[in-house]
Amino acid sequence: MFSLGHTRSAHRADHLLHTPDTFIRAAWAGMSRAVAIVHASPTIGAGFTQYTVELEADGYVPPASVQRFVYVLSGDVQMGTVTLGPGGYAYQPGGEDSALRSTSGARATVIEKPYVPLPGTDRSASDPSQSGGPSQSGAAAPAAFSGVEHAIASQPVLGNADLQVRSLVPADVVYDFAVNTLAYNPGASLPMVEVHVMEHGLLFLEGGGIYRLGDAWYPVTEGDFIYMAPWCPQWFGAIGKTPAKYLIYKDWNRAAL
Ligand code: UGY
Ligand code: MN
C-alpha cells in the first residue's frame, strides 16, 4: 500500500534505524548477478561497512581489500574453500579468498573493516610468516575461520537464562572486532541501558520488540538494521510473543586511545 511518506526508518546523529521499505539496491564494479543494500559505512561515521548482499544463481562479489566477515541468511555462499548455508559464517583477512559466490542464489550480511594491528607486535606485512592477508593499514590481519551459528554453545548474559549470547569470532585478541548473536525469550530485555565507546551494526534475524536508541524508542522487527554510533544509549526489550534474535557487530579487543 502507498505509504503516504511514512516510514519507521530514522537517521539521527548517533543512530540509524534502516527498515526494509527504504532499502535501495545497487551493484558496484566487479559484482555480477548480485546487488547490495549498504546499511552502514564510513559515510555515516562508522569504522566498518555492513551491507546485505542478494546473489542470484552464479552470483559473484569481488574480493575485499580489508577484512571481510559473512553471515548467510538464506541460500548458499562460497567464500575461500568453504560453502556456507543459512546460519553459516566465515571470515577472511582480505584478498583473493574473500570473494563471494553463490551456486543457487543467496542472501547474506557482510561486514568489512580495515584491520587494526595489535600494539607492540611484529604482525606486519613485511613478515610473511604472520601474514593472513592485506589490510588498509598495511599490517597483516589474522587467519581465516568459519563455522555454523547453531554449533556454538550459547551463554547466558549476566546469569539471565532468557538472554543468550553466541560469539561467532574466536576469543583471541588478534581479532579486532566481535560478531555475536543475542537471543531473547519473550519478555526478556537487556539488563541495563548501555552507553559505551564501541559502535554497533545490528541486523534483526527473528522476532522483534522495542529498541531504545538515544532518547527515542522504536518498534523493531525481523529484517531491520540498526547502526549505533559510539556512546549511543541503547536498550532492547523483546515484547513479542515469540523469541527475538539479532546479529550484532562491535569493534573489540583494542584500547580506546
Ligand atoms: O555487546 C553489546 O554491547 C550488546 N549487548 N549491545 C546491544 O545489544 N545493544
Ligand atoms: Mn552494546
Side-chain angles (χ1 to χ4, degrees), residues 40 46-50 67 69 91 109-116 166 168-169 175-182 194 196-203 211 225-230 234 246-252 254:
F48 66 101
T49 295
Q50 185 163 355
Q67 302 179 100
F69 178 96
Y91 162 89
T109 191
V110 181
I111 295 162
E112 296 175 355
K113 180 187 185 301
Y115 182 59
V116 178
R166 287 186 166 91
L168 307 190
V169 176
Y175 296 100
D176 67 351
F177 68 94
V179 181
N180 301 328
T181 58
L182 279 176
E194 297 179 7
H196 52 62
V197 68
M198 298 85 75
E199 58 182 350
H200 284 311
L202 181 161
L203 183 66
Y211 228 104
F225 175 87
I226 297 171
Y227 169 69
M228 290 170 244
Q234 56 199 257
Y246 53 74
L247 181 85
I248 186 164
Y249 158 93
K250 60 184 167 187
D251 46 304
W252 197 234
R254 295 295 180 273

Side-chain angles (χ1 to χ4, degrees), residues 110-152:
V110 181
I111 295 162
E112 296 175 355
K113 180 187 185 301
Y115 182 59
V116 178
L118 275 174
T121 68
D122 57 359
R123 293 184 64 88
S124 73
S126 59
D127 180 356
S129 69
Q130 296 291 312
S131 179
S135 81
Q136 281 178 0
S137 65
F145 64 84
S146 62
V148 184
E149 187 208 345
H150 66 70
I152 296 175

Side-chain angles (χ1 to χ4, degrees), residues 13-110:
D14 62 358
H15 64 268
L16 167 73
L17 171 61
H18 200 199
T19 62
D21 54 304
T22 58
F23 290 174
I24 298 294
R25 291 160 172 81
W28 52 78
M31 285 172 70
S32 60
R33 289 181 283 281
V35 290
I37 302 146
V38 178
H39 302 298
S41 79
T43 56
I44 203 169
F48 66 101
T49 295
Q50 185 163 355
Y51 53 91
T52 297
V53 67
E54 297 175 342
L55 299 124
E56 298 171 28
D58 297 321
Y60 175 76
V61 179
S65 59
V66 296
Q67 302 179 100
R68 176 178 277 170
F69 178 96
V70 61
Y71 177 93
V72 178
L73 302 167
S74 63
D76 71 279
V77 173
Q78 292 87 51
M79 181 159 82
T81 56
V82 297
T83 296
L84 307 165
Y89 61 88
Y91 162 89
Q92 283 285 339
E96 279 308 307
D97 284 348
S98 65
L100 304 176
R101 294 179 174 77
S102 180
T103 303
S104 50
R107 292 182 71 250
T109 191
V110 181

